[in-house]
Amino acid sequence: MRRTTPARQLLVIAPQCPAMGLLTGLEDTAEALHRALLDPQLGGCEQDPSGAPSLLCGVDVQRDDVEKAVRAAAERAGEAEAVLILAFLGHGTNLGQVPKLSFMASDSREDVSTSVVDVGHLLGQSLDVHGVQGVVAVVDACHAGGASPNLDLLAGGVRQGATRLSLLMSAGATESSYGLAYTRALARILGEGLPGAGEFLSPVDVSEAVDNETGTDSRLVIVDGLSHQPRPWLARNAQRTIRAGGLLRALGDEDLRRALEPFGEAVVDIPIATVGDLGRLRRTLESLEPAPATPDQHTVNALRVLDRLMDAARTSEFLSSSWPGRPLQSDRIRRAYAIAARRPAPDSDADELLRECVESLCLRVPLVKGSPTAPLTDFVAVLAMGDGLACDTPRLAAWARSRGATVELADAFAAQEQRAAEHRLRLVISLHAAVADEWPETLLAWLLDGDTPVDRKDFVCTPTQSGVELQLGAVLKWATVNARNTGFRLRCIDIAAPAALLASWRPEETRLGPRLGLHYDLVLRWSDRLSLPAHLGLINEFARQQLDAMKSGGAPVSWLGRTETDELYELMGRIGDGWYERALALSHRPERLAELLELLLASAPIIFWPDGPEDLPAASRDSLERCWEQLPGEFSAAYRAAWRRAAGQPDPVDGHTDLARLRSVWLDEQWLDFCDWFETRSFDGEKAS
């Protein structure tokens, strides 16, 4: 079963400081919070597989222990691409007149600055670790409000502010905190939940609830540089009303609660279990007399949310019970959502996945796509065409009529048909005649209609980069003439080359008048898989198994840093032992990239690396995650966006230029099928004897 949110890792630190007096109940309080956050039904944090402790408390926790533990936890969270949950409980002070928290470990002294823990600095370092999906931190100590990291330094850090922080502090920077009341209330609320708060307890929910219970005035700092990611949460709500089989999912419940807040007691007691309940609530809102406390725009917004929720509920029922095609599977649902929404699907499975996708398409995607009905219509059209259904299939047409989206459905079908036609023909240009890092004297070209060869031809060229690029024009002219005879337009080009050339060559930038990549989508392939030596004879079969394992949703990418690539022997050993069953991505560009690619391409079907000498920014990683379902074709769109931006034009799709900082070699089932076909032919393309 796949996790429903990013992985969550935990570290609770609660040292006793004898120099300031032992805190009564500190250990018990820390253990209660730790227990709630590790509970899979509440905090959902995971025990570290390395065995590193997630709770440090008592009189033996020194300053160095705290700092090393936090940095190690951040590194582990980055490697796991996890959210890091931190808690600092104990004594705190200000040194001198500076309103900055000095957290006290067991060996700390109030008058020795080198003996205290700088929590703000540790939080800043944790946030700036690549891969960390956000930090949620709780600080319960005197002067806790001084724990905020330097946001200016974060903006200029290695992630350039592409990070997320939720920081809950029991008191202000110059205020005292008493008896760990904040943490005790927090642990109790996490265990008991909050009525009406939805499926997850956000930092805002928890902070307000603790203040209401304790009468305190805590502090909450939220920094959001990853707005496309799921919203941060501290724990699942023990009183959540969203259950399996209920009408609304978490997103719909949240939007409905917000829309109804301005109406107070007038609608608070109306239960929502069926579409009919939504209709009755709509009539109730329409009957309310306008009042100064509930301006008309609140009514308009609430009615809009209700209409979209009814659309979502009816569509979910249609897809679950009356769908005229094949039974829907999670992989198909994720792919259709990614195409319609241009973002990753929610991290759930089966019926829950379907209902969450539909709610998102109805409630959130329209905010950036214009028409409130188009995203959901696109989603259904993708599913329908995957099943070979026509636009006028009776049950499908009836669904569209009920939504007033008949023309919209026809338009969605037409757009999908055009896309399929544009990707029907494929030109394969292979440089596998190259020797070592030299350019070849011959280019081999095939024009394919789907998986069926239309024609093939060899093109002699000068064995230089300029000679190869010059001959690409002749290859393209030959392919275009043959494409016209099929009645379809050629748009897709596969360039197959040895690793040494893939490491440095950008064929999409070849000038044939305009750049080759301006009007064509190019995908780089590894040509060595066409003619495998005996000792690598099974790698194509292994690649198929890896590709099957990568179909579980999201971006199945394992990131390799300098530590891994500098220890190449150990890395290849781990790859051979099955440590990495996903696509491999380099967070940096090694000096001997070509040699490394030669090794990695024999072990993984998909490889990524930065296009320049700088380490890959976090925004590019995030863009890879968002665009995964559109790859590899989306790389061509990203490169075109980067060219336009370099010429002073805006990026039409947010994040495209971040994606353009990645290079890739992509070996999917389509390419492996071509390799299998090629293997049955002799070098000149005739049937092998």
Side-chain angles (χ1 to χ4, degrees), residues 15 20 26 71 82 146-147 207 282 292 319 332 350 356 410 431 434-435 441 471 475 483 486 588 596 608 613 622 660:
M20 295 189 71
L26 173 63
R71 293 188 180 108
S207 181
R282 196 183 199 286
L319 294 171
R332 292 178 57 206
E356 287 184 9
L431 283 67
V435 178
E441 297 181 350
Q471 194 65 302
V475 177
T486 69
H588 64 293
L596 182 59
F608 304 100
D622 297 337

Side-chain angles (χ1 to χ4, degrees), residues 501-660:
L501 301 182
L502 294 171
S504 58
W505 188 33
R506 293 175 170 81
E508 72 278 359
E509 296 185 357
T510 300
R511 292 282 186 176
L512 302 175
R515 299 181 203 248
L516 179 61
L518 188 63
H519 298 295
Y520 297 93
D521 291 342
L522 273 67
V523 179
L524 298 186
R525 314 287 195 177
W526 186 40
S527 61
D528 286 31
R529 287 187 183 264
L530 291 172
S531 301
L532 292 172
H535 71 285
L536 295 178
L538 289 176
I539 65 171
N540 283 354
E541 180 58 31
F542 294 153
R544 291 184 186 277
Q545 296 175 21
Q546 288 172 286
L547 291 170
D548 285 340
M550 290 162 57
K551 292 179 179 178
S552 59
V557 177
S558 295
W559 289 93
L560 304 179
R562 296 182 189 277
T563 301
E564 289 84 3
T565 58
D566 287 347
E567 299 174 353
L568 189 55
Y569 180 81
E570 290 81 359
L571 172 62
M572 297 311 299
R574 289 194 292 270
I575 290 175
D577 291 339
W579 282 39
Y580 305 103
E581 289 297 320
R582 309 195 292 177
L584 296 178
L586 305 179
S587 61
H588 64 293
R589 188 182 180 95
E591 291 183 5
R592 302 171 70 176
L593 174 62
E595 296 179 24
L596 182 59
L597 285 182
E598 188 79 39
L599 296 172
L600 296 182
L601 284 167
S603 305
I606 301 172
I607 306 288
F608 304 100
W609 68 93
D611 70 340
E614 302 86 4
D615 286 0
L616 195 68
S620 294
R621 295 190 185 200
D622 297 337
S623 185
L624 183 69
E625 173 76 33
R626 292 197 305 273
C627 298
W628 180 261
E629 293 292 344
Q630 286 79 47
L631 298 179
E634 200 72 4
F635 277 118
S636 293
Y639 297 148
R640 289 190 282 268
W643 299 335
R644 285 191 293 268
R645 183 170 181 177
Q649 300 179 30
D651 180 356
V653 178
D654 182 39
H656 256 164
T657 51
D658 296 320
L659 184 65

Side-chain angles (χ1 to χ4, degrees), residues 112-130:
V112 181
S113 61
T114 56
S115 70
V116 301
V117 177
D118 187 342
V119 174
H121 182 64
L122 288 176
L123 290 176
Q125 289 182 323
S126 301
L127 288 162
D128 219 21
V129 173
H130 281 308

Side-chain angles (χ1 to χ4, degrees), residues 270-307:
I270 298 178
I272 302 298
T274 67
V275 176
D277 292 334
L278 290 173
R280 283 189 288 275
L281 176 55
R282 196 183 199 286
R283 291 191 293 274
T284 299
L285 290 174
E286 289 174 330
S287 67
L288 293 177
E289 290 292 333
T294 56
D296 289 342
Q297 66 265 25
H298 291 147
T299 302
V300 171
N301 176 62
L303 294 176
R304 180 171 59 246
V305 169
L306 285 167
D307 288 342

Side-chain angles (χ1 to χ4, degrees), residues 351-502:
D351 291 343
E352 190 71 14
L353 171 67
L354 177 62
R355 299 176 74 170
E356 287 184 9
C357 285
V358 170
E359 272 195 3
S360 175
L361 289 162
C362 287
L363 293 168
R364 295 294 170 85
V365 176
L367 299 179
V368 296
K369 196 168 180 180
S371 166
T373 53
L376 185 59
T377 306
D378 292 344
F379 173 74
V380 173
V382 173
L383 293 173
M385 293 193 69
D387 283 345
L389 302 177
C391 184
D392 58 356
T393 300
R395 276 182 280 177
L396 185 60
W399 168 81
R401 284 195 302 273
S402 70
R403 305 173 63 244
T406 300
V407 175
E408 198 167 64
L409 181 64
D411 290 344
F413 263 77
Q416 292 299 318
E417 289 166 354
Q418 180 180 354
R419 183 177 181 274
E422 288 180 346
H423 290 78
R424 174 168 173 165
L425 296 183
R426 187 161 53 103
L427 172 62
V428 176
I429 304 173
S430 179
L431 283 67
H432 71 271
V435 178
D437 60 351
E438 301 295 329
W439 293 87
E441 297 181 350
T442 305
L443 302 179
L444 283 74
W446 294 263
L447 181 66
L448 306 177
D449 184 353
D451 294 328
T452 304
V454 175
D455 201 357
R456 70 165 304 277
K457 187 175 181 179
D458 298 347
F459 293 83
V460 177
C461 59
T462 304
T464 62
Q465 179 174 342
S466 60
V468 168
E469 291 180 350
L470 183 64
Q471 194 65 302
L472 288 180
V475 177
L476 196 57
K477 182 177 180 180
W478 163 81
T480 301
V481 171
N482 280 276
R484 288 198 191 104
N485 295 332
T486 69
F488 295 97
R489 177 190 170 192
L490 174 64
R491 183 178 178 86
C492 301
I493 301 176
D494 288 355
I495 301 285
L501 301 182
L502 294 171

Side-chain angles (χ1 to χ4, degrees), residues 198-230:
E199 186 172 9
F200 297 95
L201 299 181
S202 71
V204 174
D205 293 331
V206 171
S207 181
E208 292 177 350
V210 171
D211 283 351
N212 289 336
E213 180 172 326
T214 61
T216 56
D217 185 17
S218 65
R219 302 292 188 270
L220 174 63
V221 172
I222 295 177
V223 179
D224 192 356
L226 295 173
S227 57
H228 62 278
Q229 297 285 0

